[in-house]
Amino acid sequence: MNKLIPKVAALHDLSGFGRCSLTVIIPVLSSLGIQVCPLPTAILSTHSGGFGEFYFQDFTDHMKDYAFHWKSIGLDFECIYSGFLGSAKQIDIVLELFKEFKSKDKQLLVVDPVMGDYGKLYKTYTLEMQKKMRLLVKEANVITPNLTEACFLLEEPYTEKAFSQPKLKYFLKKLSEMGPDTVIITSIKTENGRFENIGYKRSEDTYWKVAYDYVPAHYPGTGDIFTSVLIGNLLMEDNLPTAMDKATQFVSIAVRTTYDYGTPVREGVLLEKILVQLKNEHLSSNYEIID
């Protein structure tokens, strides 16, 4: 990476309370030496999970003008990173921005296709949005779905049963054939009872897995943290398995620390207590190649 400080355009919602989306993406990437340029898709008083009626301001109608000013002053980005998108129109806008800001140089176009979890789509997700998300995935070179999102993208049935290694490799390769060179599926339970994040890089035709310890709590924002750590390390020129490993181990530390303190799940992980550990050397060397 030639630039002193790489820039990431982060297309996500902003929640004033509850650690997720931009409020975790910005500190994580900043700690890794990356400048975050946020483009809000929506502004919320809290995230939507467990806080009752919340304030919500849709930013869709402002996104193009916001990005046009960036273009007019000559901004370019080493990475464009999209997460939760609230409508088909927003997906169309992100597709336009990918094309508008696409660079001839090496550039990451990262899509976290936030669609659902535990086998169910989020209530706001429509059939039209599912179709358009497949178009957005096609334009990306890195995607980070969870298992539910991988199943919906591939139109495969979701199951809570453990997955075999051949089935996981099939999922990774089929997702890559949709367009992205790099695919990572998070939060997988395997046949041997382990929990893993798994990855595939089509240009190298190589599969990796990184195991982590299961904690019986589901905190908002952990997917945003995972993908942000991944992006930060890829931009600092780590290879894919090392970046996956660091992201997995950091999220694991965040979840375990928060669980031990017993704070309310809806508030997210205690990022402030463990952010300093992002650059610790022990956050590496746990990945394995999948044969």
Side-chain angles (χ1 to χ4, degrees):
M1 186 63 59
N2 294 324
K3 293 194 176 183
L4 179 63
I5 305 291
K7 292 192 292 295
V8 172
L11 285 56
H12 295 257
D13 60 281
L14 174 64
S15 294
F17 185 72
R19 301 174 184 89
C20 66
S21 302
L22 286 173
T23 56
V24 298
I25 290 165
I26 293 171
V28 166
L29 282 168
S30 297
S31 295
L32 291 170
I34 312 295
Q35 181 183 359
V36 183
C37 302
L39 196 172
T41 59
I43 299 171
L44 299 80
S45 53
T46 68
H47 65 72
S48 60
F51 291 104
E53 291 295 325
F54 54 91
Y55 172 81
F56 176 89
Q57 178 62 57
D58 187 356
F59 208 65
T60 303
D61 292 339
H62 308 286
M63 290 173 66
K64 284 188 180 182
D65 289 341
Y66 190 112
F68 176 78
H69 184 235
W70 280 355
K71 192 69 176 178
S72 73
I73 60 175
L75 282 181
D76 57 13
F77 303 97
E78 283 67 44
C79 173
I80 302 174
Y81 165 29
S82 73
F84 176 77
L85 300 172
S87 66
K89 186 176 180 180
Q90 285 194 351
I91 298 174
D92 286 335
I93 291 170
V94 176
L95 278 165
E96 289 182 38
L97 295 183
F98 271 15
K99 293 173 183 176
E100 190 70 22
F101 285 94
K102 195 166 186 177
S103 169
K104 293 181 181 179
D105 300 322
K106 185 178 179 181
Q107 184 186 45
L108 292 178
L109 299 176
V110 180
V111 172
D112 184 2
V114 183
M115 302 167 67
D117 211 345
Y118 298 109
K120 296 180 180 180
L121 288 174
Y122 296 130
K123 292 180 180 179
T124 57
Y125 238 81
T126 65
L127 183 59
E128 182 184 13
M129 290 174 70
Q130 290 180 60
K131 292 178 180 177
K132 289 194 172 181
M133 182 55 74
R134 294 186 186 106
L135 296 177
L136 187 58
V137 162
K138 181 179 179 181
E139 297 301 318
N141 46 38
V142 179
I143 64 171
T144 58
N146 61 29
L147 180 58
T148 294
E149 292 152 356
C151 288
F152 277 108
L153 287 170
L154 293 173
E155 299 183 279
E156 291 276 352
Y158 174 85
T159 176
E160 294 186 359
K161 294 180 180 179
F163 273 68
S164 67
Q165 191 163 287
K167 183 71 170 181
L168 293 172
K169 290 175 69 174
Y170 167 80
F171 268 38
L172 288 167
K173 193 158 192 176
K174 293 299 288 185
L175 285 167
S176 180
E177 288 171 358
M178 295 176 70
D181 182 62
T182 298
V183 177
I184 297 167
I185 304 177
T186 59
S187 305
I188 300 291
K189 183 178 180 181
T190 64
E191 286 183 319
N192 59 12
R194 298 173 72 187
F195 288 85
E196 298 173 344
N197 296 323
I198 59 171
Y200 173 63
K201 192 172 182 64
R202 185 179 65 243
S203 56
E204 299 176 8
D205 195 27
T206 307
Y207 302 83
W208 293 276
K209 59 185 177 182
V210 184
Y212 63 91
D213 293 331
Y214 174 73
V215 173
H218 185 74
Y219 295 97
T222 51
D224 302 317
I225 294 171
F226 175 89
T227 303
S228 297
V229 178
L230 179 84
I231 288 170
N233 284 286
L234 289 176
L235 287 175
M236 291 304 175
E237 301 189 340
D238 273 342
N239 58 30
L240 175 63
T242 300
M244 273 180 61
D245 194 353
K246 289 178 178 179
T248 302
Q249 303 311 323
F250 182 73
V251 171
S252 185
I253 289 169
V255 168
R256 172 54 66 185
T257 299
T258 306
Y259 186 76
D260 287 347
Y261 273 98
T263 54
V265 169
R266 66 181 184 175
E267 294 182 11
V269 297
L270 299 178
L271 182 63
E272 300 82 2
K273 281 199 168 290
I274 51 89
L275 200 55
V276 68
Q277 299 192 49
L278 257 180
K279 294 187 177 182
N280 284 359
E281 289 300 317
H282 69 270
L283 297 179
S284 59
S285 74
N286 291 318
Y287 65 83
E288 301 175 49
I289 293 176
I290 302 176
D291 296 327

